[in-house]
Amino acid sequence: MESYLMSSGFTDNTPQGGKILRRRQKKAVVAAAAEAKKRKLSDEQVKLLEFSFMRERKLECRRKESLAIELGLDPKQVAVWFQNRRARWKTRKMEEEYLRLKSENEEAVVEKCQLEKEVLKLKERLSKTEEEISRLSIGINGDQKDVRTLESSSSSLSTVNHEVVAEDINAVDWQEYFIDFMYSNYWIGWGDDFLGM
DNA sequence: TTGTGTTTTACGACCTCC
DNA sequence: GGAGGTCGTAAAACACAA
């Protein structure tokens, strides 16, 4: 307010000395100052300020002075405008960053769901395969009860057994063995929530 | 017209750096 | 200690629905 009064040339050097304003004049000045307090900058002024801001986020003292002269503003106004502009810029940047992180998080959640589904599928396949192995194994062991029958009917039990298992291994892809291995060796201790259990 | 929400301008308090 | 920064906020200006 005081700076405005000073810059508006409303000081009064009366014989009484000091900066005394006559009552009417003072009233007008206060009203004008109040009005000027929140005067919006013109489009042209804002345009030039924005242009300057694009070039430099902070103003050197000299640049501030010259810009103020160029715009017909108080250097303080220019400084304040830059302070507010930086604040707005920061807010917008934070909003953008928030949206970016939110989007990334959503993508990660979707991916996690897909991976969990896949793990369930693979576990199901693994379980079926294990059942199959077990079934075949029991069948072969049953045959072993009569060794003589086996010896006469087949050249080699172990060969048959291995062939069956080998065939089964071929039927199961590497992923199942990997999952089985990881699950039995590591994942049990890592918490079941990862596997959706 | 008016109530309400948003944006812009201005300022005080506090902090940092030289 | 002073200059200049951020942060929080008040208040004017503005936009807009009802």
Side-chain angles (χ1 to χ4, degrees):
Chain A
M1 177 80 81
E2 195 146 55
S3 64
Y4 175 80
L5 298 180
M6 297 290 284
S7 64
S8 303
F10 282 108
T11 53
D12 183 21
N13 297 320
T14 59
Q16 287 92 337
K19 296 166 184 173
I20 301 167
L21 297 166
R22 276 174 286 172
R23 198 177 294 171
R24 282 181 72 182
Q25 208 178 12
K26 192 174 180 178
K27 202 174 173 182
V29 167
V30 169
E35 193 184 329
K37 194 184 172 191
K38 292 283 177 180
R39 185 172 296 159
K40 277 202 87 175
L41 306 179
S42 71
D43 289 349
E44 279 304 307
Q45 285 171 324
V46 172
K47 214 170 169 181
L48 186 51
L49 285 164
E50 287 286 356
F51 184 71
S52 301
F53 185 77
M54 273 166 56
R55 281 174 35 188
E56 43 192 350
R57 296 280 182 266
K58 289 181 183 178
L59 282 181
E60 283 181 11
C61 203
R62 275 187 192 174
R63 178 68 188 135
K64 182 173 70 185
E65 302 279 350
S66 67
L67 201 53
I69 291 167
E70 205 172 339
L71 292 164
L73 293 171
D74 191 298
K76 178 79 191 295
Q77 278 181 292
V78 175
V80 165
W81 189 91
F82 263 75
Q83 282 164 14
N84 288 321
R85 189 65 183 80
R86 279 194 295 272
R88 287 196 288 274
W89 182 67
K90 190 178 175 182
T91 304
R92 276 168 206 166
K93 263 191 77 179
M94 284 175 74
E95 280 170 1
E96 283 171 15
E97 182 68 1
Y98 166 75
L99 289 175
R100 191 183 65 77
L101 291 171
K102 193 180 166 197
S103 164
E104 272 183 24
N105 179 56
E106 281 166 2
E107 280 173 22
V109 166
V110 168
E111 195 184 349
K112 180 176 176 273
C113 280
Q114 285 169 348
L115 288 170
E116 281 173 351
K117 270 187 192 172
E118 200 172 332
V119 166
L120 282 175
K121 263 190 202 171
L122 292 169
K123 279 177 70 185
E124 215 169 287
R125 283 183 66 187
L126 179 62
S127 169
K128 278 181 187 170
T129 305
E130 280 173 347
E131 269 175 36
E132 184 67 10
I133 290 169
S134 171
R135 192 178 61 74
L136 291 168
S137 177
I138 287 166
I140 288 161
N141 288 338
D143 290 345
Q144 272 183 321
K145 282 176 188 169
D146 189 350
V147 177
R148 283 167 301 179
T149 310
L150 262 176
E151 281 173 345
S152 62
S153 65
S154 172
S155 58
S156 169
L157 174 64
S158 62
T159 305
V160 172
N161 196 10
H162 279 104
E163 277 171 1
V164 169
V165 173
E167 192 184 333
D168 212 50
I169 288 170
N170 289 335
V172 178
D173 63 41
W174 66 272
Q175 282 180 318
E176 284 176 342
Y177 279 99
F178 177 72
I179 294 289
D180 186 36
F181 175 79
M182 293 300 285
Y183 183 74
S184 59
N185 288 282
Y186 298 101
W187 287 0
I188 286 170
W190 287 4
D192 291 338
D193 59 340
F194 181 84
L195 296 167
M197 297 174 71

